[in-house]
Amino acid sequence: MSIQQGQTESTAPKFGRLDAALADVQAAIHRSSDYLLSRQHSEGHWCGELEADSMLEADYIFLHTLLESGDPGRLKRACTEMMRYQKDDGSWSLYPGGPGNVSLSVKCYFSAKLMNIPASDPRLIKCREWILAHGGVVACNTFTKMYLCALGQYDYDAVPAIPPEIVLFPNWFYFNIYEISSWSRSILVPLAIIYAKKPFKKIPAEHSIDELYVGGRANSNLRLQWDRKNRISWRNFFIAIDRIMHWAEAVHLRPVRKLALKRAEKWMLERLEMSDGLGAIYPAMMNAIIALRCLGYSEDDPQVIRARDEFEKLGIEEPANEDMPATFRMQPCMSPVWDTAQALYALGEAGVPRNDSRMVKAADWLLSKEVRAKGDWAVKVPRTEPGGWYFEFNNEFYPDTDDTAQVLLAFSKVDNPRERYQHQVAQRAIEWEFAMQCRNGGWGSFDKDNTKMIFQYIPFADHNAMLDPPTVDITGRMLEMLAIYGYTREDKRVEKAIKFILSEQEPDGSWFGRWGVNYIYGTFLVLRGLEAIGFDRNEPQVQQAAEWIRMVQNPDGGWGETCGSYDDPNTRGLGPSTPSQTAWALLGLLAAGDDRSDSIAKGVRWLLERQLNDGSWDESMGEGAKREGIITGTGFPKVFYLAYTMYRQYFPLMALTAYQRAMEKSSF
């Protein structure tokens, strides 16, 4: 096995046969557990870095250019970080090894020019040629165009309208802000303020990007184009509405604009409380900073200072080394609740004593993060007591069903001296989970029945993340959690969830993964949930799924899948082997009752041989300045992906533990 630069060579044995000796598996489990425990923070939680694409650094440069703020040295380091991910063809991609993306490439090109990299630079020449070949600036999405407008590089009257009046629509109205996903809501409300106020900063001519318009900016049609083939379509309907709104904007026909801005401001300020920034996610936090300044808040206003401080906390400084200069990168958000719940559960499965002080400390930290206030979710379920957990350090308005289920799974591995209180909290959370179950039996992430598919055609919805429908991956985890807490198929809500899952199975036996890449993720979670709840392993749906997992195993014994499977489902299950995805595949097979096949033995051996001597696994590609984490997490399919740097640690530990347990059980 070749070791990439920067890795420590594995001390795991090299097997001459397929079967992994249980002693070797146990030794790997101990090393992994020790490594994971060494990463626990003194407060009791775990929090790995979240990696994403270069949009974060490009937008960081844009924000500080617009507001004439920021540390010049940090901005320069952010530019260095951004430029090192440029592809050989000149573009930037949404994930390592992926195709170029025009919106991201325009942002990076523009940010490079804002940082005084001239248009004559060979890197920008190559990027410019690529962008022009792929439609130019006009081909960008709405969010990109809105940011360009603020610096004079696009026209406000040509971008899809995002009127703040949408916040005035009552909750009973077919379209209101609570019928779109929570993340879109937190991004769009401040963006609607920005649209209404239309901030503008003049930049030097040498920083402009007129050269990125095919045929020149003056000759470009910047408006959304009608669908000529399908004249009667939802797209054309919404474009017509958009044209009417632009006309009203032009003639100042905005009778309730002042009221709308006040309502939007109030909505935003309320959600800045009990939160690490609006929605505790990067784009909403950035939009909120700009919106506050547009509303007249001064730079030294406490709201602005706090919003900026929370935003800057997402940054990570990387000192220079022999491979590259000092850089600065941004995280899209932080994941302490998620990582803590996953790590705690994995350690409990691995045999760390239930009363170990480190386990209890982690459980107590999670207890301190329970949601006790009603958030946006309560619009759909108003008579439900608050409960559950969010993803970040603080995000009280937005608990999610997936984090909540995983926290409850983690609690099942700890004997807490506060057992009675922990039990009360768990029961409250389970009741909240059931209240959030959708009509079709599945669970979405943040909202109930967020499924009005028509909203995908709204012109400003081209970020492909307008809705939060129920998904099988969350529903599978929910079944696993409910089984641990004593629920069975006799419960009608459980049976409804099973029917939803079975109805979503693909013809080849796999399941789509909304929150992890991709079909390997969805399939493993479904199989875990079905096994836990008592669904017969011999049913054809289970065995077909197991056969699909075996079928897509790589020749090296591992499993992998790229983000490209979201664009082309025919590539599902295909990609270089990774520790996290190999672990998911093994967990899925074991849940399906396969503990003796060559696929299992090869997969376990793959993990053992690639474990490093400190007990960890590496999940990155490239060398030197080009080294980057492989993406196995999903933010928004086709739009935004995440590398959870701890996935490569706790999921292999879970897989090896599950394998050990299966082997020990079958030996009796």
Side-chain angles (χ1 to χ4, degrees), residues 22 593 595-596 659-668:
L22 279 179
D595 57 13
R596 288 293 184 182
Y659 174 77
Q660 179 195 39
R661 186 177 296 116
M663 291 296 96
E664 290 174 343
K665 184 177 180 180
S666 64
S667 66
F668 286 102

Side-chain angles (χ1 to χ4, degrees), residues 136-294:
V137 175
V138 177
C140 292
N141 61 31
T142 298
F143 290 176
T144 300
K145 292 174 181 176
M146 281 287 290
Y147 296 156
L148 293 177
C149 286
L151 294 178
Q153 304 307 299
Y154 211 82
D155 298 344
Y156 277 113
D157 63 355
V159 297
I162 310 176
E165 285 80 4
I166 60 176
V167 302
L168 299 177
F169 296 160
N171 295 344
W172 52 261
F173 191 59
Y174 187 81
F175 175 78
N176 66 79
I177 61 172
Y178 297 102
E179 294 294 346
I180 61 177
S181 62
S182 63
W183 52 84
S184 290
R185 197 180 310 140
S186 62
I187 291 170
L188 287 171
V189 170
L191 199 61
I193 295 172
I194 296 169
Y195 173 79
K197 291 294 186 178
K198 296 178 175 54
F200 171 75
K201 173 180 167 55
K202 186 175 178 60
I203 60 174
E206 61 268 23
H207 290 168
S208 74
I209 56 170
D210 287 357
E211 68 272 18
L212 295 186
Y213 287 83
V214 177
R217 182 171 176 178
N219 300 318
S220 296
N221 187 347
L222 306 186
R223 293 185 179 277
L224 294 173
Q225 301 302 301
W226 302 95
D227 184 346
R228 304 290 181 184
K229 294 182 179 180
N230 302 295
R231 294 181 180 276
I232 301 176
S233 63
W234 283 118
R235 174 180 171 82
N236 285 347
F237 170 78
F238 282 117
I239 287 179
I241 297 296
D242 183 70
R243 295 286 171 88
I244 293 171
M245 288 190 291
H246 274 293
W247 171 82
E249 195 80 16
V251 300
H252 302 284
L253 186 61
R254 302 169 300 198
V256 293
R257 175 59 55 86
K258 186 175 181 180
L259 175 62
L261 285 172
K262 281 291 184 184
R263 184 75 60 83
E265 178 183 6
K266 181 175 182 290
W267 187 95
M268 184 173 65
L269 290 175
E270 287 175 349
R271 283 153 185 79
L272 286 171
E273 298 301 318
M274 300 182 290
S275 173
D276 297 331
L278 184 60
I281 55 174
Y282 185 104
M285 294 165 71
M286 184 176 77
N287 289 350
I289 295 169
I290 300 172
L292 287 170
R293 297 290 284 123
C294 287

Side-chain angles (χ1 to χ4, degrees), residues 534-546:
F535 192 84
D536 190 344
R537 291 174 167 180
N538 295 314
E539 288 290 339
Q541 298 96 329
V542 172
Q543 291 309 310
Q544 188 183 9

Side-chain angles (χ1 to χ4, degrees), residues 492-532:
K492 292 181 179 179
R493 297 165 297 185
V494 169
E495 194 63 23
K496 194 174 183 181
I498 294 173
K499 289 181 179 178
F500 164 72
I501 280 176
L502 296 180
S503 72
E504 293 291 308
Q505 189 172 22
E506 301 290 337
D508 62 6
S510 65
W511 277 274
F512 177 84
R514 166 60 181 85
W515 295 101
V517 181
N518 173 353
Y519 292 88
I520 296 176
Y521 184 80
T523 304
F524 117 79
L525 282 171
V526 166
L527 291 176
R528 293 269 295 183
L530 291 177
E531 179 205 26

